[in-house]
Amino acid sequence: MSETFTPINEVGEFGLIDRLQTIVADLSDPDLIMGIGDDAAVYRLPDEETVHVITTDALLEGVHFDRLMTPMEHLGYKAIAVNVSDVVAMNAEPRYATIAVGIPAKISVEMMEAFYRGVRRACEKYGLVLVGGDTTAAHTLCISVTVVGEARMEDVIFRRGARPGDLLCVSGDLGAAYAGLKILLEQRRALKEKGADYQPDLEPYRYVIQRQLLPEARLDVIRDWRDRGVRPRALIDVSDGLASEVHHLCRHSNCGAIVYASAIPVALETREVADHFAEDVDTYALFGGEDYELLFALPPEQLELLDPTSFNVIGEFLPADQGVQVQTPEGAIIPLEPAGYQHFREENNGSSEDDPLSEGGL
């Protein structure tokens, strides 16, 4: 038994991953191309040019979702989509999936059927085949999904590879999923205060709520790149927040970067939610997370190959000694901290239970 006790919140999620990785780092295989440290692992198939890309994500009740606000069918869809997004973030095509589900007594057969209807809907959308899994009893609803993807070795894109001078680009708009979460949290609070007779009006917030409950993996984007002959140098999906993901790309690529806050695409509905709460919409876009858009390093010479409606240039990669910075809409340049969704935060830090950034979501 260990003589010391280090709380996980002292090292944080990524510090924990780094420490655990050192324990298993010497477990290797000649066909393993990328293990721990990217959106997904990559391994080579014997005597073939094709590689498999494999990823696993967990969704835990009370940490990643609240059943009071999440229909089971939506939850099934999201469980698949967020894993497909990791495969897409390696520039690979999803092929197969497995699901392990821990089911508490409060979940009925009909609820699980609804969950799997959502799973089927996502599988059909992304061309996946569900090939197995496991079910077990649990105290709360626990979901673990593994997705296997496929790509040619020369097509795989890692987080590493960005160079100073590359453009920092993103697909789609950012901050909408966080805006949707804010609205859902507000409605949950109102329901608790006013009781079962409360009838929320969610129609004005349909877009942002959909981005939270039914996120889309951007498989369409990488397929469009393939058709146009575009190959970014580095790639990641925006799951934990833009600021965090920029730091990941810079860390793995040994680069710095500057993000132009005024260039970050934000939907009108997201701005309206920020106004509703009297909050800065830039916080939503930089730190919100769960948008599952693609953040990538693009060589400037490839810019004209892209569909201009499919992406936005939001910054530039710099030499590593310049660090990671953000230029505010007013023109000030300040350090950009890698804040956003983080597991294992200190629970008693004075933050509100309804602050998703401080408490890691629902």
Side-chain angles (χ1 to χ4, degrees), residues 14 48 55 65 96 100 114 128 180 193 227 234 240 256-257 260 296 304 320 335 352 361:
F14 300 113
E48 294 186 24
T55 185
F65 65 90
Y96 304 104
L128 276 172
E193 292 173 355
D227 292 341
D240 294 332
Y260 306 121
F296 55 100
E304 62 183 17
S352 167

Side-chain angles (χ1 to χ4, degrees), residues 69 180-188 202 209 212-213:
M69 301 186 297
L181 178 57
K182 291 280 291 187
I183 293 296
L184 290 171
L185 288 169
E186 180 186 55
Q187 296 302 317
R188 181 181 68 176
L202 300 180
I209 291 174
Q212 169 58 221
L213 297 181

Side-chain angles (χ1 to χ4, degrees), residues 9 14 19 26 36 107 154 192 248 266 269 277 319 330:
N9 59 48
F14 300 113
R19 291 176 68 152
D26 60 342
I36 301 170
I107 299 294
E154 60 265 31
K192 289 181 178 179
H248 282 312
V266 178
E269 294 89 340
F277 289 106
E330 296 75 29

Side-chain angles (χ1 to χ4, degrees), residues 77-159:
Y77 186 97
K78 184 173 184 176
I80 294 293
V82 300
N83 279 272
V84 170
S85 184
D86 277 341
V87 169
V88 169
M90 307 298 293
N91 199 34
E93 289 277 334
R95 294 293 306 277
Y96 304 104
T98 63
I99 300 180
V101 186
I103 307 172
K106 60 189 174 184
I107 299 294
S108 68
V109 171
E110 291 77 14
M111 294 166 73
M112 288 308 301
E113 288 175 337
F115 175 83
Y116 270 83
R117 284 195 292 271
V119 167
R120 180 185 178 92
R121 179 179 162 195
C123 287
E124 289 174 344
K125 179 177 178 63
Y126 298 115
L128 276 172
V129 177
L130 186 63
V131 296
D134 187 32
T135 57
T136 185
H139 295 295
T140 59
L141 184 58
C142 305
I143 304 157
S144 179
V145 176
T146 296
V147 170
V148 177
E150 188 175 276
R152 295 185 306 170
M153 183 58 233
E154 60 265 31
D155 291 336
V156 176
I157 303 175
F158 300 98
R159 295 178 183 181

